[in-house]
Amino acid sequence: AKQASLMAPADYERAYEFNNTLQLWGRYYIGNRVQLFAFVPYHMNSGSDAGNPFKINGIGDVSLLVNAVVIKDDSSCKSWHQTLLTGGGIKMPTGKYTGLSTLDEQGLPNVQAGTGSWDFIVNANYTVRHQKTGINVDASYTMTTASNAGYKYGNRLNTGLLGFYWWQKNNLSILPQAGLRYEYSLHDYDNYSRKWLNENSGGSIVSGTIGVQSYYKRYGAKVIYNIPVAQYYAANNVIVGARLETSLFFLF
């Protein structure tokens, strides 16, 4: 869950949002070098804008990604392990999008289920581990396009650095982890063809991350908590709160 508040001089101009996403995702291997990913989100957004409550639920934009294993473990070295994956994909406009860009209870562009646009994603993920201690670095960049209504969300960079410890006994593995995450977004455009910049958008945030991931045989779970340590969004009119992520998965 992610909470954001829009700050303004008067109480009647304040707004807050609670953004929650339930996501079904899957991964399929083609040989030992190619991985296919599919993500299907369901958004549950609610809040209040100038005293007017709103609630928007629905299936979001589906994403399809392909990653290739560029570097994998060197079997001759048993104490060091590393993996590098790179790839990309598309995000399709499958979620509901009203096409409105004004801040009213029916058309908040940042809380709608979809974006109404085809977006393109490139990403990389590198993990290096020495015996039981390791570091993971990931980065993704989303290049957006304008919707049919002319609204264009800003391109986004999302990257993180995470340290972890791998504890294992029999069929149980537990990986406590901690690190930092950086997110940067360019400004949106209310009308991209006319280059009408949305000044109340764009910005950056640095978050501290702590969590744990565990596996038992073919089952796994993950809990990640992100808390902002520095941020500047929408000319400092928007304050982003903490975010909690939980995952359950089955390996086959």
Side-chain angles (χ1 to χ4, degrees):
K2 180 179 179 181
Q3 177 185 352
S5 299
L6 176 62
M7 309 301 293
D11 287 341
Y12 66 84
E13 295 178 340
R14 295 177 186 269
Y16 67 88
E17 305 163 11
F18 291 95
N19 307 128
N20 300 278
T21 300
L22 179 65
Q23 183 162 253
L24 177 66
W25 68 275
R27 177 178 62 185
Y28 181 76
Y29 280 88
I30 299 179
N32 295 322
R33 292 285 182 175
V34 179
Q35 303 177 6
L36 304 180
F37 291 86
F39 301 87
V40 182
Y42 184 85
H43 299 295
M44 297 163 286
N45 302 323
S46 62
S48 176
D49 177 32
N52 299 313
F54 63 86
K55 182 178 293 186
I56 300 175
N57 299 335
I59 294 177
D61 294 341
V62 174
S63 298
L64 300 176
L65 300 175
V66 179
N67 278 348
V69 179
V70 179
I71 299 175
K72 57 189 296 186
D73 285 346
D74 183 355
S75 59
S76 64
C77 182
K78 297 183 178 180
S79 61
W80 285 93
H81 303 271
Q82 63 175 336
T83 305
L84 173 63
L85 296 90
T86 62
I90 60 172
K91 183 192 70 61
M92 301 175 287
T94 56
K96 184 178 179 180
Y97 175 74
T98 67
L100 300 176
S101 60
T102 56
L103 290 175
D104 58 55
E105 62 180 306
Q106 297 298 324
L108 287 165
N110 53 328
V111 295
Q112 295 191 59
T115 65
S117 65
W118 290 83
D119 299 339
F120 303 92
I121 305 165
V122 293
N123 66 278
N125 190 300
Y126 177 72
T127 301
V128 58
R129 176 170 59 89
H130 178 60
Q131 295 180 348
K132 295 182 178 296
T133 304
I135 295 175
N136 174 261
V137 181
D138 71 275
S140 66
Y141 189 77
T142 301
M143 296 167 283
T144 64
T145 64
S147 68
N148 290 335
Y151 195 94
K152 181 183 182 298
Y153 290 86
N155 292 356
R156 299 182 300 277
L157 171 68
N158 193 320
T159 183
L161 172 66
L162 202 64
F164 64 89
Y165 180 82
W166 186 7
W167 179 89
Q168 185 175 21
K169 185 175 182 180
N170 299 327
N171 293 317
L172 177 64
S173 298
I174 299 177
L175 290 83
Q177 49 198 245
L180 293 172
R181 178 152 295 276
Y182 175 73
E183 302 172 46
Y184 176 76
S185 176
L186 295 174
H187 283 87
D188 298 352
Y189 285 89
D190 288 327
N191 188 305
Y192 187 64
S193 63
R194 299 186 179 184
K195 296 299 184 289
W196 290 350
L197 197 66
N198 185 337
E199 297 289 349
N200 199 39
S201 64
S204 61
I205 181 171
V206 178
S207 300
T209 299
I210 188 170
V212 62
Q213 188 167 338
S214 63
Y215 298 91
Y216 180 73
K217 295 183 178 179
R218 302 173 70 179
Y219 301 92
K222 180 171 68 173
V223 178
I224 298 290
Y225 185 71
N226 294 279
I227 184 167
V229 295
Q231 59 177 292
Y232 185 82
Y233 266 113
N236 218 28
N237 289 319
V238 172
I239 297 177
V240 179
R243 178 168 56 210
L244 176 67
E245 302 175 22
T246 60
S247 301
L248 297 173
F249 39 91
F250 173 70
L251 307 176
F252 60 89

